[in-house]
Amino acid sequence: MTHFLDIHTTDPAALRSIIDTARAIKNARAGRPKGAPDDDQPLAGHMVALIFEKPSTRTRVSFDVGVRQMGGQTMLLSGAEMQLGHGETIADTARVLSRYVDLIMIRTFEEATLLEMAEHATVPVINGLTNRTHPCQIMADIMTFEEHSGPIKGRKVVWSGDGNNVFASFAHAAKQFDFELVFTGPETLQPEAALNGLYTTERDPNKAVQGADLVVTDTWVSMHDPQSARERRHNQLRGYQVNTALMSKAKPDALFMHCLPAHRDDEATSEVMDGPHSVIFDEAENRLHAQKAVMRWCLGK
Ligand code: CP
Ligand code: NVA
């Protein structure tokens, strides 16, 4: 079974081939209406379940549109409306869904839920974000970086802010795609210890971004963080806002990324988000192409 659960558990050659496929898929349908079918229809006759236990705009729409472009059909399931949200086990849910659909994408809270789904499903499972990781996002980000700035191998990526789930997938990617990753943020929001060795830390954001080819940030309060932590997090992270002054210390042609949704003028200013370094909407678009490539890889199509 070919699941796409995480970047560090996926072979680097497979990751590279997924990025190459994503670029080819994007180029092949350039200029077509969004609802127009791809020529090859690799998912014809296939049914895909999209399970969301957390909110989503990009992941939900990009998976749905991507499956339809490839000739497949989707079923959107909200965790709360499933028996899963009312006591049915993850294992039984996985076994049952595998009898109806050819592929499962799940966005959930605990990583254990994703892993249990994958263990018991007899169809491929894709990680659409957990509290710990967000691999589909980082596949789109690598694709976006390389479209604008060439190969990511050996380049310097600086993450400013919370050491969260999106950072974790960047850290996994740093090893698999062989780039340098620097974390700049407060000690209290340091990434989890399991990521040690995949990145370096520089507390001073102005020093951290020197020589950066890419500066990345994300929301200061993730969906799984308690709202009660909001004020404390804002106070801790204020000094790590990505603004024009910080971007001016990176390389002149450095890119700015944010997975979105953003809280404008908190983690990044609108001036940066809408400015010349920003590729945030290319990132969002590339979720579609990258995930189509991930689904094809999972299904061997
Ligand atoms: N970046 C991302 O995953 O966005 P959504 O939460 O809207 O899916
Ligand atoms: N870190 C964010 C990413 C959202 C796409 C969250 O988990 O809420």
Side-chain angles (χ1 to χ4, degrees):
M1 194 57 51
T2 310
H3 301 303
F4 186 73
L5 301 180
D6 262 317
I7 301 236
H8 63 304
T9 53
T10 305
D11 177 62
L15 294 169
R16 176 48 64 192
S17 82
I18 291 169
I19 300 281
D20 292 346
T21 304
R23 286 179 84 154
I25 289 172
K26 181 176 182 177
N27 292 338
R29 59 171 298 118
R32 291 194 196 181
K34 313 291 189 295
D38 288 342
D39 292 335
D40 50 356
Q41 296 290 282
L43 262 62
H46 287 70
M47 181 63 80
V48 178
L50 306 173
I51 306 174
F52 289 92
E53 296 197 294
K54 287 176 177 170
S56 170
T57 296
R58 279 142 290 269
T59 306
R60 177 178 166 155
V61 177
S62 58
F63 266 102
D64 198 349
V65 170
V67 171
R68 293 183 201 212
Q69 288 179 350
M70 294 193 291
Q73 297 183 65
T74 57
M75 191 173 294
L76 279 164
L77 301 164
S78 115
E81 289 164 6
M82 297 171 71
Q83 299 292 10
L84 184 61
H86 300 275
E88 186 165 21
T89 67
I90 299 154
D92 284 349
T93 305
R95 292 180 186 114
V96 169
L97 287 179
S98 299
R99 300 292 179 107
Y100 302 129
V101 306
D102 303 290
L103 183 68
I104 299 169
M105 191 287 314
I106 179 165
R107 165 170 288 195
T108 187
F109 288 87
E110 300 304 326
E111 184 178 60
T113 305
L114 168 80
L115 299 179
E116 204 175 334
M117 183 73 73
E119 187 185 338
H120 297 282
T122 54
V123 299
V125 174
I126 296 176
N127 177 357
L129 179 147
T130 70
N131 295 358
R132 281 186 90 178
T133 60
H134 196 4
C136 288
Q137 179 67 51
I138 275 45
M139 293 303 281
D141 291 359
I142 304 285
M143 178 183 175
T144 307
F145 181 90
E146 295 196 333
E147 275 180 352
H148 286 271
S149 303
I152 199 162
K153 183 174 159 77
R155 310 294 282 277
K156 179 175 176 181
V157 177
V158 178
W159 177 280
S160 186
D162 180 22
N164 67 11
N165 48 359
V166 179
F167 175 84
S169 287
F170 256 111
H172 295 148
K175 180 159 185 225
Q176 304 295 64
F177 288 93
D178 195 16
F179 59 84
E180 181 191 354
L181 179 64
V182 179
F183 170 78
T184 185
E187 201 173 347
T188 45
L189 297 171
Q190 191 76 20
E192 61 169 311
L195 302 171
N196 288 352
L198 299 176
Y199 70 96
T200 58
T201 299
E202 168 54 64
R203 294 281 168 233
D204 181 346
N206 293 299
K207 282 190 192 152
V209 299
Q210 284 170 20
D213 295 290
L214 168 61
V215 178
V216 196
T217 191
D218 186 15
T219 180
W220 289 343
V221 186
S222 283
M223 291 182 273
H224 59 276
D225 291 321
Q227 278 302 315
S228 57
R230 193 176 176 280
E231 193 178 335
R232 178 172 46 81
R233 284 174 158 268
H234 275 238
N235 289 335
Q236 290 169 336
L237 286 160
R238 198 158 285 127
Y240 294 93
Q241 182 193 64
V242 182
N243 49 40
T244 302
L246 189 65
M247 279 310 295
S248 72
K249 299 192 174 83
K251 278 191 183 164
D253 60 351
L255 301 179
F256 169 74
M257 287 193 192
H258 188 310
C259 65
L260 305 178
H263 299 79
R264 283 175 175 258
D265 300 313
D266 284 344
E267 68 268 16
T269 59
S270 280
E271 201 176 10
V272 168
M273 291 184 64
D274 301 327
H277 299 280
S278 176
V279 291
I280 56 176
F281 299 113
D282 291 341
E283 266 185 282
E285 177 184 339
N286 285 337
R287 293 292 303 279
L288 169 66
H289 310 297
Q291 288 157 192
K292 285 169 75 177
V294 168
M295 288 187 274
R296 291 181 73 141
W297 176 76
C298 286
L299 290 166
K301 298 285 178 189

